[in-house]
Amino acid sequence: MRERELQTSCTSALLLTLCLLSLWGRLTLATSHRTHSVHVKAGTCEVIAAHRCCNKNKIEERSQTVKCSCFPGQVAGTTRAAPSCVDASIVAQRWWCQMRPCLDGEECKVLPDLTGWSCSTGNKVKTTKVTR
């Protein structure tokens, strides 16, 4: 009788362990798919992280991390103040304003050192510096 109880207990424990392992595996797989990567539609870009702060001079500084899936001959750029895929020659030759990075009504000017551009309207100026 004692041997039968022991066998039943072992079988129950084994089944419980298998069920828990199966559940843990499914949860791990589901979690890894969710956080593993961001899928971006071909020819588009998506902001995956944004950062914002102010320095001592009350100048707001913003940065963002973008994931793009551009077509051949295109690279990540900015159009109308939003991330987008642009012609690679614009970036290679630093003709920043050809991307049309500013909003409608804003004037685009390439920075003197060619490291970015500024968009201005009235007395408001937004400067963007390209980092790689």
Side-chain angles (χ1 to χ4, degrees):
M1 185 74 154
R2 187 115 164 100
E3 199 173 303
R4 189 149 168 77
E5 287 174 14
L6 184 61
Q7 187 179 13
T8 303
S9 295
C10 286
T11 303
S12 297
L14 182 62
L15 284 174
L16 180 61
T17 302
L18 287 173
C19 287
L20 288 174
L21 283 173
S22 176
L23 179 62
W24 177 76
R26 287 181 185 199
L27 288 173
T28 302
L29 186 61
T31 303
S32 69
H33 279 297
R34 232 183 327 193
T35 59
H36 180 63
S37 64
V38 175
H39 294 286
V40 180
K41 199 159 119 178
T44 65
C45 296
E46 183 177 322
V47 177
I48 56 174
H51 310 282
R52 189 174 157 178
C53 65
C54 271
N55 67 17
K56 292 178 184 175
N57 300 325
K58 294 185 179 179
I59 296 173
E60 186 177 55
E61 296 177 359
R62 295 180 186 186
S63 66
Q64 61 186 17
T65 304
V66 177
K67 183 168 185 175
C68 295
S69 176
C70 300
F71 293 116
Q74 291 184 323
V75 294
T78 303
T79 304
R80 289 199 176 96
S84 64
C85 293
V86 299
D87 190 276
S89 65
I90 292 171
V91 175
Q93 297 176 23
R94 299 181 178 192
W95 294 340
W96 306 119
C97 291
Q98 298 237 348
M99 293 188 298
R100 298 205 168 108
C102 303
L103 295 171
D104 289 338
E106 293 179 333
E107 181 184 4
C108 180
K109 289 184 182 174
V110 176
L111 299 178
D113 62 0
L114 303 178
T115 60
W117 65 91
S118 65
C119 298
S120 59
T121 178
N123 62 352
K124 186 177 178 183
V125 178
K126 296 181 285 184
T127 303
T128 302
K129 288 200 160 226
V130 177
T131 58
R132 293 180 189 194

